[in-house]
Amino acid sequence: MSRLNLRKNWLYIPLIGLTIFYLIPMYLILVTGFKSFDEIDLQTMWQLPQGIAFDNYIEAYNQLAPYLKNSFKLVIPAALISSILGSINGFVLSKWKFRGADIIFPFILFGMFIPYQSIIIPLVQFMSAAGLTGLWGLGIAHIIYGLPITTLTFRNYYASLPQELLEAAKIDGASMLGIYRHILLPISIPSFVVVLIWQFTSAWNDFLFAVILTGNTEWPITVALNNMAGSQIISWNVQMAGSLIAALPTLLVYIFLGRYFLRGLMAGSLKG
Amino acid sequence: MSKKILYSLLAMLILTAFVLTACGSAPAEPAAEDTTSEEAEVEEVEEVEEVEEAEEADASEVEVFSWWTGGGEAAGLEAMIEVFNAEYPDIEFINAAVAGGAGTNARAVLATRLQAGDPPDSWQGHAGQELIGTYVAGNQIQSLNEMYDAEGWIDVMPETLIPLISYEGDIYSVPVNIHRANVIWYNPAILEENGLEVPTTMDEWFAAMDTLQATEVIPLALGEQWTQLHLFETVLLGSLGSDAYDGLWDGSTDWSSPEVAAAIDDFAKVLTYTNSDSASLSWQDASQLVVNGDAAFNVMGDWAEGYFRELGMVPNEDYGWAPVPGSVGVFQFLSDSFTLAADAPHAEGAEAWLKTAGSKDGQEAFNPVKGSICARTDCDPELFGVYLQSAMEDWGSNTVSGSLTHGVVANDSWKSEIDTALGLFLIDQDAEAFQTALLDACVSSGPCQ
Amino acid sequence: MFKNKDKYLSVILVSPSILAILIFVYGFIAWSIRVSLSKWKGLNPDFTWAGFENYVNLFYDPRFHIDIRNTVIFTLVFVLGSLILGFLMAVMLDQGLRGEGFFRSIFLFPMAISYIVTGVVWRWLMNPAEGSRMSGLNLLFTSLNLDFLVNEWYTTPYWGIAAIALAAIWQMSGYTMALYLAGLRAVPGELREAARIDGASEVEIYRRIILPILTPVTLGVLIILGHTSLKVFDLIIAVAGKQLSLDVPAIYMWQTTFDGLFYARGAAIGILLLISVAVLIIPYIRYTTKMETEL
């Protein structure tokens, strides 16, 4: 094994090269966040800041803090509900099919592919007619437009499980919900991780729905971050510090849950 | 650990399944039924307070929509809000500013809100055809004649401005500031080194840029596409003169005329003096080239001056200014103004806000911070810097023309067709096709035929 | 064989989702189709029937031609780039090297950040200025004596959009890597062993055995990358602003609708986008359902 590893050590060269490629933008965000306004110049962008000061981060944090809370209030329930609904749909559409279930699945799946910019006008009209404005409306939009991918993930995962798993329980007289709860749900954790991470990230980073569906006190962080850029004179140092603060939750999710993400993918959520 | 997660998930699941089952078994009557779902119910509870408050009194609050979220604009707005709060302490000011690409996101948000019947009480728009062609044509804003009479604004606003913000004799907005579009910024040191005078005509400008072309310096700094549209409109003005330029927008100047063709040629020639990386530069990047000594000239609206000052530059030393060559004696303006929504939820609050926005106190608080001059002619010049003082003088004495890029002379549809035509011209450099496209734009969305 | 009650319950459980999708996807699409067949221009709705006029006009619209060209170039570069890079990274990480977890996190992290944040950084990196104002990657290349790499990036005539695709590859190749890596881990070790015993080289093993097994993964990745690239919007705006040389249908749709108030035209572009997405994914959906019935 160790000899094999030695022979493969040259792989570190491209891997480290790629690491640099992936980290370069991150380096710029970090470095710029520490610079003062008059240090910001395209020609000196690679240079380290003249001193380490956290002023920009503090200023950005002060501006963003209230909206950070909105984002959490929005994204966590939206990701959870969307995942749970997806899991139920996936269960029914793979293991408890009714007539027409095979048509229903592509019908739901197609929703993943619509260009969202083209439906924002009816979306806003519908939401305000239904009285679903603000964070609630935004949360519902995220849940619904997340359904296709969550349903897909769970359905493919459940479809890969042998039917015998359910048959035995059925013979024992377990009900449908009982089977779902006692047999499928416990082994769905890896898929839940994948879907939750996915939904968390996409809802967190969403700007389009947020800007049209919420008002100024309910904006999530992406809208607040965009507003920081102003419209004429932009303080890039504060902007970059703000970007980092806004990206931190999703970054942490990936850093700490990245391996579960992969494990979940491996558990069969990607077949077909 | 996983057990705990599992159980909490389960709890959530049962809850949701229960609610959704109740919802799902109901007949499919989307709009009406949806409000009975769990989410809506909870929301209603939360919203009750707000709704009650709104119904109590019209003047309890005012929601003002703008795209001023950063820099001098936001600071200026804050200053004006302070004046408002002092005058109307009982009215809560809700600042619904949304940023993005010169107000583009903001415009989309506003449009969707208006279409959904949920207008803010007052919103920002560029005075002129942008407001008239979009919101007056859409019956979204109210005429403000009475307010103008009551506040005596007719007497303190420039005569030339009133027709531009009126439609069929009615005035529809309250302008808070004036910016000048046809300004050429230059680096005095570079001009001196090369023995150049500040050009006043197109030919002088070309001659000066020919001299500069031979040096290391970029003759004319240029930025991304909208700044190129800005350059185009000032060259049109400089090349055609203000009468013919004004005629383009009311149909009296023919877009297919040889004069327009010559203006397009001038524009094409101007472009040959610019930096090759213009598409990658914001207007700030481009303006900065002048004060950094990389470029001799830059054409940009006078908000650039606020940026120079923020960079710590000294007027008349690090940068100088003049009207764009060919447009001496013409003040090509744009103005930010505020409207009164036709169905303003808090009409009284909105009227109070507009009174502040049009008042001397309000404008004197706003403009020095924003870096623009007052729309009113009675503001105290002492409050302003040396550049803005000169702009105030010109505003009072020059011929006034309107800006295309910033919404004065053409409605949104027309402007966007011109922008597309310009974009195509920048790619293929086909002047004839450009002129045809400009004529088509005028026919389809302007006053031509 | 199901109890009747459960059969009912299964329908009831999915019906909220179906109802929601029916309204939020198909209802809104129907609305867009109707708008695209109208004369709506200006702020207020105008549903006067216009037939296919808006579609026909787009067919002759030089701006739309640029959009299609750009979309084709972007899709090719982005999809192939992410696919190849993602696969190679997955293969490298599948060799059981130390530090695999570290590299995996690094490659995956761009996914966590929104285009709003990364777009600006790429704008700086791909700055095409020359001479003393040179900056970004060009400056880096010059100082590393790699002058041949210096280029005009997204201001390159005709091919500029490919530079934007590079930023998109940075963002999405890690995800591709994760999918492939998961797929590789699922390949039974005996298969490789058997091939090795038969004297196949490592490259051959990947080409002849592993890639075919990974076909479903590749298809899934293709669909995700493909529809992402057709809908690309905020990345281009963040990197390059709004300029016609880098225009794509999604940007045209947005600008013409909200800046120009040509609502009918915007809806027509949206429907054309949707049709091209459908052309891409309907065969995929059919393929997967067919695969399942064969199983």
Side-chain angles (χ1 to χ4, degrees):
Chain A
M1 197 64 192
S2 68
R3 212 188 315 151
L4 195 73
N5 268 355
L6 258 178
R7 216 183 64 211
K8 284 173 174 169
N9 271 350
W10 64 270
L11 280 175
Y12 282 112
I13 299 168
L15 281 174
I16 289 170
L18 283 165
T19 304
I20 294 171
F21 170 66
Y22 280 95
L23 288 183
I24 278 178
M26 213 54 206
Y27 167 80
L28 283 181
I29 294 176
L30 257 176
V31 170
T32 312
F34 281 114
K35 289 183 177 174
S36 63
F37 182 73
D38 39 294
E39 270 182 85
I40 310 290
D41 191 4
L42 281 175
Q43 276 83 62
T44 58
M45 63 190 250
W46 294 107
Q47 289 171 16
L48 288 166
Q50 281 161 8
I52 295 286
F54 287 89
D55 308 11
N56 297 328
Y57 287 91
I58 293 165
E59 191 186 335
Y61 180 79
N62 287 339
Q63 283 184 38
L64 294 176
Y67 305 103
L68 208 57
K69 219 174 72 194
N70 286 337
S71 269
F72 280 113
K73 252 165 57 185
L74 164 80
V75 169
I76 291 172
L80 273 176
I81 296 174
S82 186
S83 307
I84 290 163
L85 287 176
S87 160
I88 296 171
N89 291 342
F91 167 61
V92 170
L93 295 178
S94 64
K95 291 289 179 229
W96 219 278
K97 292 183 185 174
F98 47 87
R99 246 175 42 166
D102 284 336
I103 302 167
I104 294 296
F105 173 57
F107 169 87
I108 293 179
L109 187 61
F110 191 73
M112 195 170 131
F113 303 103
I114 53 169
Y116 297 131
Q117 295 92 0
S118 70
I119 49 99
I120 64 171
I121 300 165
L123 178 66
V124 174
Q125 281 175 345
F126 182 86
M127 286 300 195
S128 66
L132 296 170
T133 50
L135 273 187
W136 279 101
L138 181 57
I140 289 169
H142 280 309
I143 291 170
I144 290 173
Y145 290 109
L147 282 177
I149 185 121
T150 58
T151 304
L152 169 77
T153 309
F154 281 107
R155 182 190 169 279
N156 286 351
Y157 174 56
Y158 293 145
S160 72
L161 300 173
Q163 194 70 27
E164 296 84 62
L165 208 65
L166 281 76
E167 298 305 327
K170 269 184 214 161
I171 291 164
D172 290 346
S175 70
M176 174 183 166
L177 286 176
I179 290 176
Y180 175 72
R181 203 196 117 165
H182 294 295
I183 299 179
L184 285 183
L185 206 55
I187 53 172
S188 309
I189 298 293
S191 290
F192 265 104
V193 173
V194 172
V195 165
L196 281 172
I197 292 181
W198 181 271
Q199 285 301 102
F200 184 86
T201 321
S202 58
W204 187 272
N205 287 336
D206 162 74
F207 173 76
L208 181 69
F209 285 162
V211 75
I212 57 159
L213 287 176
T214 53
N216 61 327
T217 54
E218 293 179 310
W219 281 327
I221 188 124
T222 41
V223 181
L225 181 69
N226 188 59
N227 275 358
M228 262 174 66
S231 41
Q232 286 190 358
I233 296 168
I234 301 170
S235 316
W236 288 114
N237 46 351
V238 182
Q239 181 71 12
M240 284 297 156
S243 297
L244 201 65
I245 292 171
L248 213 53
T250 44
L251 271 177
L252 291 177
V253 164
Y254 270 88
I255 289 171
F256 289 111
L257 297 178
R259 79 173 89 174
Y260 299 102
F261 186 67
L262 202 74
R263 226 177 263 172
L265 288 178
M266 265 165 17
S269 351
L270 55 75
K271 288 217 188 79
Chain B
M1 173 203 109
S2 70
K3 237 185 181 167
K4 217 171 166 186
I5 294 178
L6 185 65
Y7 279 119
S8 34
L9 281 177
L10 209 62
M12 289 280 308
L13 171 85
I14 291 165
L15 187 83
T16 336
F18 180 74
V19 173
L20 285 168
T21 310
C23 165
S25 52
E29 189 82 21
E33 284 304 316
D34 244 44
T35 43
T36 64
S37 72
E38 169 211 35
E39 291 86 350
E41 264 168 43
V42 180
E43 188 213 28
E44 269 166 28
V45 176
E46 283 193 349
E47 290 258 291
V48 163
E49 281 171 56
E50 249 180 68
V51 174
E52 274 176 3
E53 217 173 283
E55 279 170 359
E56 259 169 40
D58 247 359
S60 63
E61 60 178 55
V62 56
E63 186 189 10
V64 176
F65 189 94
S66 73
W67 55 79
W68 287 332
T69 63
E73 306 101 286
L77 182 62
E78 283 301 326
M80 195 153 53
I81 293 171
E82 252 172 59
V83 175
F84 175 78
N85 285 337
E87 280 175 47
Y88 304 95
D90 299 333
I91 306 178
E92 189 194 350
F93 188 93
I94 299 174
N95 183 359
V98 174
T104 327
N105 281 326
R107 304 261 324 265
V109 172
L110 181 59
T112 51
R113 282 188 63 173
L114 294 178
Q115 279 151 6
D118 171 33
D121 299 305
S122 175
W123 63 84
Q124 177 193 8
H126 285 128
Q129 290 301 316
E130 180 182 305
L131 278 178
I132 292 166
T134 302
Y135 306 117
V136 175
N139 299 320
Q140 296 284 355
I141 52 180
Q142 298 181 28
S143 136
L144 298 169
N145 291 1
E146 282 173 32
M147 193 181 293
Y148 268 76
D149 287 341
E151 300 291 310
W153 287 342
I154 297 280
D155 304 324
V156 293
M157 301 270 182
E159 263 173 68
T160 38
L161 183 61
I162 298 295
L164 286 160
I165 56 175
S166 307
Y167 178 69
E168 295 184 345
D170 290 323
I171 306 174
Y172 282 95
S173 66
V174 178
V176 293
N177 69 348
I178 300 291
H179 273 299
R180 186 175 195 169
N182 63 328
V183 185
I184 185 165
W185 306 94
Y186 59 86
N187 183 312
I190 293 178
L191 292 200
E192 200 174 320
E193 270 166 40
N194 294 285
L196 297 168
E197 294 284 313
V198 180
T200 55
T201 64
M202 281 297 203
D203 288 334
E204 285 176 27
W205 194 20
F206 287 136
M209 291 200 290
D210 280 332
T211 312
L212 292 162
Q213 195 80 297
T215 68
E216 286 279 286
V217 172
I218 301 161
L220 178 65
L222 186 62
E224 58 189 310
Q225 190 172 322
W226 77 261
T227 71
Q228 307 183 3
L229 185 64
H230 185 106
L231 177 66
F232 177 59
E233 74 175 39
T234 57
V235 171
L236 268 183
L237 175 67
S239 185
L240 292 170
S242 70
D243 285 344
Y245 171 84
D246 291 345
L248 289 172
W249 314 111
D250 60 21
S252 59
T253 302
D254 183 2
W255 280 93
S256 56
S257 65
E259 287 77 20
V260 173
I264 291 174
D265 286 343
D266 279 346
F267 176 62
K269 192 169 175 193
V270 167
L271 287 180
T272 61
Y273 297 102
T274 59
N275 42 308
S276 59
D277 60 339
S278 57
S280 71
L281 301 183
S282 67
W283 74 264
Q284 291 161 281
D285 300 333
S287 298
Q288 201 174 359
L289 292 179
V290 172
V291 287
N292 282 2
D294 291 310
F297 297 112
N298 173 233
V299 172
M300 187 36 60
D302 60 8
W303 45 89
E305 213 257 343
Y307 179 56
F308 295 152
R309 293 161 74 98
E310 191 147 339
L311 291 172
M313 300 295 167
V314 182
N316 285 324
E317 227 169 86
D318 296 308
Y319 60 92
W321 59 88
V324 169
S327 70
V328 178
V330 183
F331 193 113
Q332 190 182 26
F333 87 104
L334 59 119
S335 166
D336 294 298
S337 62
F338 284 91
T339 61
L340 176 59
D343 307 309
H346 314 95
E348 249 177 80
E351 280 167 25
W353 160 248
L354 292 176
K355 281 176 193 163
T356 302
S359 71
K360 187 160 180 276
D361 288 349
Q363 300 208 351
E364 283 185 344
F366 176 78
N367 285 299
V369 185
K370 153 89 166 132
S372 48
I373 61 174
C374 296
R376 297 172 66 108
T377 47
D378 58 351
C379 282
D380 180 4
E382 292 301 309
L383 295 169
F384 297 88
V386 46
Y387 165 75
L388 288 174
Q389 285 182 1
S390 81
M392 285 170 88
E393 233 168 77
D394 288 350
W395 177 241
S397 60
N398 283 358
T399 314
V400 170
S401 275
S403 158
L404 159 69
T405 316
H406 309 282
V408 182
V409 291
N411 63 51
D412 286 327
S413 300
W414 193 6
K415 181 184 129 191
S416 104
E417 295 292 76
I418 294 176
D419 189 38
T420 298
L422 173 75
L424 291 168
F425 173 67
L426 293 171
I427 294 171
D428 62 19
Q429 303 289 328
D430 184 343
E432 241 172 83
F434 185 28
Q435 195 172 6
T436 314
L438 289 173
L439 180 66
D440 289 347
C442 182
V443 171
S444 75
S445 304
C448 305
Q449 280 150 12
Chain C
M1 60 178 286
F2 298 152
K3 279 175 272 173
N4 240 349
K5 194 186 81 193
D6 284 348
K7 205 168 169 183
Y8 260 143
L9 189 60
S10 69
V11 176
I12 289 169
L13 280 177
V14 282
S15 51
S17 300
I18 295 173
L19 184 68
I21 296 284
L22 196 66
I23 298 167
F24 282 76
V25 175
Y26 296 92
F28 294 173
I29 290 176
W31 183 90
S32 285
I33 292 176
R34 181 63 190 88
V35 172
S36 77
L37 300 172
S38 77
K39 289 186 192 292
W40 183 354
K41 174 183 165 186
L43 199 60
N44 292 352
D46 170 11
F47 287 103
T48 316
W49 185 258
F52 286 91
E53 194 187 322
N54 294 304
Y55 294 93
V56 175
N57 288 345
L58 281 175
F59 189 75
Y60 294 107
D61 185 340
R63 177 168 178 179
F64 200 61
H65 298 166
I66 291 175
D67 293 354
I68 291 172
R69 190 198 76 199
N70 279 341
T71 302
V72 170
I73 296 176
F74 183 89
T75 305
L76 282 177
V77 175
F78 167 64
V79 172
L80 285 178
S82 304
L83 212 62
I84 293 168
L85 189 62
F87 181 71
L88 289 180
M89 290 193 301
V91 169
M92 285 193 280
L93 289 184
D94 194 36
Q95 306 301 317
L97 294 169
R98 276 172 60 142
E100 183 200 319
F102 168 77
F103 288 118
R104 226 171 39 202
S105 308
I106 299 282
F107 297 160
L108 213 51
F109 95 84
M111 267 201 76
I113 311 179
S114 91
Y115 283 145
I116 296 181
V117 176
T118 54
V120 178
V121 180
W122 281 103
R123 179 189 182 120
W124 292 359
L125 282 173
M126 301 198 288
N127 189 297
E130 300 160 346
S132 62
R133 292 192 300 113
M134 190 182 273
S135 73
L137 288 173
N138 282 353
L139 184 65
L140 195 68
F141 291 152
T142 321
S143 52
L144 296 174
N145 288 321
L146 297 168
D147 290 55
F148 63 95
L149 283 173
V150 169
N151 69 77
E152 297 176 279
W153 301 109
Y154 58 90
T155 57
T156 312
Y158 209 87
W159 292 96
I161 192 84
I164 311 273
L166 189 70
I169 291 173
W170 178 83
Q171 197 106 10
M172 286 297 281
S173 52
Y175 177 64
T176 316
M177 179 276 299
L179 289 176
Y180 270 123
L181 190 55
L184 284 170
R185 293 283 152 87
V187 174
E190 305 92 63
L191 268 178
R192 302 185 196 206
E193 279 311 310
R196 277 198 198 106
I197 290 164
D198 287 349
S201 71
E202 285 297 306
V203 176
E204 267 179 325
I205 292 175
Y206 274 102
R207 228 186 60 197
R208 301 255 161 106
I209 300 172
I210 296 185
L211 263 181
I213 295 179
L214 291 181
T215 306
V217 181
T218 308
L219 275 174
V221 171
L222 267 178
I223 292 302
I224 289 179
L225 296 178
H227 95 274
T228 312
S229 88
L230 283 175
K231 297 198 299 195
V232 64
F233 174 79
D234 19 10
L235 177 65
I236 298 181
I237 304 262
V239 174
K242 288 172 180 167
Q243 49 181 308
L244 239 149
S245 55
L246 298 175
D247 205 40
V248 291
I251 296 179
Y252 189 13
M253 173 173 70
W254 180 272
Q255 276 196 302
T256 207
T257 305
F258 293 111
D259 296 350
L261 307 175
F262 293 98
Y263 283 87
R265 189 198 290 165
I269 299 171
I271 295 302
L272 288 178
L273 257 183
L274 194 68
I275 290 171
S276 35
V277 173
V279 166
L280 183 76
I281 63 146
I282 286 174
Y284 167 75
I285 292 177
R286 283 187 56 179
Y287 167 84
T288 44
T289 32
K290 207 178 98 198
M291 287 282 287
E292 272 168 23
T293 36
E294 276 172 9
L295 272 174

